[in-house]
Structures are given as C-alpha cells and as structure tokens.
Amino acid sequence: VVPQVLGTIGGLVGKNVDVCTTEGDEYLRLNTYTFISACTGIGKSRSSQCIQRQLRPLEDSLLPINRKLLVEDITSEQLIIRLAANNECAFVYSSDGRQICNNILGAYRKNGTDEGIYLKGYSGDMHDTERKMGDLNIRLNSPCINMLVLVQPEKVYELFENKRLYESGLLERCFFVNIPFKKCKLDTKK
C-alpha cells in the first residue's frame, strides 16, 4: 500500500511542487513512474478501490469541467491531447495495467514501442506533435506525467524483455515493486 500512496501523492502534486537539490542549484519535480506487480488474488483491486474512492471526488473538486487528471487506457496521441487540455499534467493510473503496458510496448504502432511522450513527461522536456492531416498539432512546453500501474508480474517481464525500452531509458525512469506471494507461479520461459 505504501508505494500506491506515494505514487498517488506524486500524481496529485504533478508539476505544482519542486524539490530543491542539496546543492541548491537544481529543482526536481515529484513525478514518479511506479509499477507494482503482484499475482492474482493478492488484493491489488481492493487496495486500488480505496485510493480511487478518494481520488475521483478530489479530481472533480480541483479541476474545471471537462478536465481529467486520471487516465487509464489511453494511446499516446490521446495522452498528448489530455496533457494539452490539463495544464500539461496527467496521472496514468490503473489497477489492471495490462493495456497501459501493451500501449507502451507498441500495441498501436506498426513497428516499435511507443514510449516517447512518457520519456518527455517524466523529464519535462518540450514535445511537439504534428500529423499530416493537421488534426493533431500540439506543443507541450513542460509536460508532467505520473504513473501508478498495478499489473501481473508477467507483464513487467514483457517490459524488461524489450530492448528498445532499455535503449530509450524508460525502464530506468521507473520504480518497480514486486509483492511476493507464495502461490504465485511465474512463467518466465515464454
């Protein structure tokens, strides 16, 4: 539960709070990318429901109408649109993060992974999106994405097995927590 609470706090704070380094010359945002893996039956959904009951009313009271901080099953293009509409902040949250992982692994790409906006949303680097048809032309100056994803261990292994996610640096930006469970049998020989 502690990683969930810390991930939730990071998601709510977004880019509104910076932490100064001990040298005093650099400020860091509090956004985190947290993946919690646990086998079926350990209670991911139950603990997540408690958090969601608190988050949804808070989101509704803090944000203007038609804005949404919490997103779940979302493509990178829609995430960019959501960021542009929401002060360049988004909290990617799911108690069943298979689809989030699939999207990052490139479910909607013909060739390759789809982590570009997540890389820039972690570091706050500017992001420009332009499409041929002109229906998606957006500049994000300092996007801030937080992720809290609860998922089965097999899905985390899929992320680790993908060489492109290492090369891009996405996995190094993520905090992985595995909750061991004695009855969990992992098939790592796929």
Side-chain angles (χ1 to χ4, degrees), residues 56 98 115 181:
R56 294 293 179 192
R98 290 176 295 172
E115 73 276 16
F181 193 57

Side-chain angles (χ1 to χ4, degrees), residues 14 33 35 46 54-55 61 63-64 71 77 79 88 94 100 114 118 133 140 148 160 164 166 171 174 180 187:
Y33 286 7
F35 286 81
R46 196 170 50 245
Q54 303 300 317
L55 283 179
S61 67
L63 297 174
V71 295
E77 286 81 8
L79 182 55
E88 299 188 357
S94 179
I100 293 169
D114 193 10
Y118 290 99
M133 303 306 278
L140 301 171
L148 177 57
F160 285 144
R164 292 179 104 164
Y166 276 108
L171 296 179
C174 298
D187 180 15

Side-chain angles (χ1 to χ4, degrees), residues 2-4 14 20 24 33-34 58 60 73 84 91 102 106 110 115 127 135 137 148 154 176 181 187:
V2 171
Q4 282 180 284
C20 185
Y33 286 7
T34 305
L58 187 59
D60 293 341
D73 179 6
F91 183 14
N102 288 341
K110 290 180 183 173
E115 73 276 16
H127 180 81
D135 55 347
N137 293 316
L148 177 57
E154 290 84 2
F176 291 95
F181 193 57
D187 180 15

Side-chain angles (χ1 to χ4, degrees), residues 134-179:
D135 55 347
L136 186 62
N137 293 316
I138 296 174
R139 169 171 282 173
L140 301 171
N141 292 309
S142 182
C144 182
I145 301 172
N146 283 276
M147 278 200 293
L148 177 57
V149 180
L150 286 72
V151 70
Q152 303 294 323
E154 290 84 2
K155 201 45 96 171
V156 172
Y157 281 112
E158 274 187 62
L159 295 173
F160 285 144
E161 289 172 346
N162 191 297
K163 185 179 177 183
R164 292 179 104 164
L165 296 180
Y166 276 108
E167 291 171 351
S168 71
L170 179 68
L171 296 179
E172 286 80 5
R173 290 168 170 82
C174 298
F175 177 54
F176 291 95
V177 178
N178 182 45
I179 300 173

Side-chain angles (χ1 to χ4, degrees), residues 40-73:
T40 302
I42 200 162
K44 293 187 303 284
S45 294
R46 196 170 50 245
S47 63
S48 181
Q49 288 167 358
C50 293
I51 291 172
Q52 283 183 349
R53 276 195 302 271
Q54 303 300 317
L55 283 179
R56 294 293 179 192
L58 187 59
E59 176 186 46
D60 293 341
S61 67
L62 292 176
L63 297 174
I65 296 172
N66 296 327
R67 282 195 169 173
K68 191 174 165 187
L69 178 66
L70 297 170
V71 295
E72 187 171 0
D73 179 6

Side-chain angles (χ1 to χ4, degrees), residues 37-39 152-157 178 181-190:
S37 68
C39 294
Q152 303 294 323
E154 290 84 2
K155 201 45 96 171
V156 172
Y157 281 112
N178 182 45
F181 193 57
K182 290 182 182 180
K183 294 181 183 177
C184 183
K185 293 186 179 178
L186 216 49
D187 180 15
T188 59
K189 298 179 183 178
K190 287 184 181 180

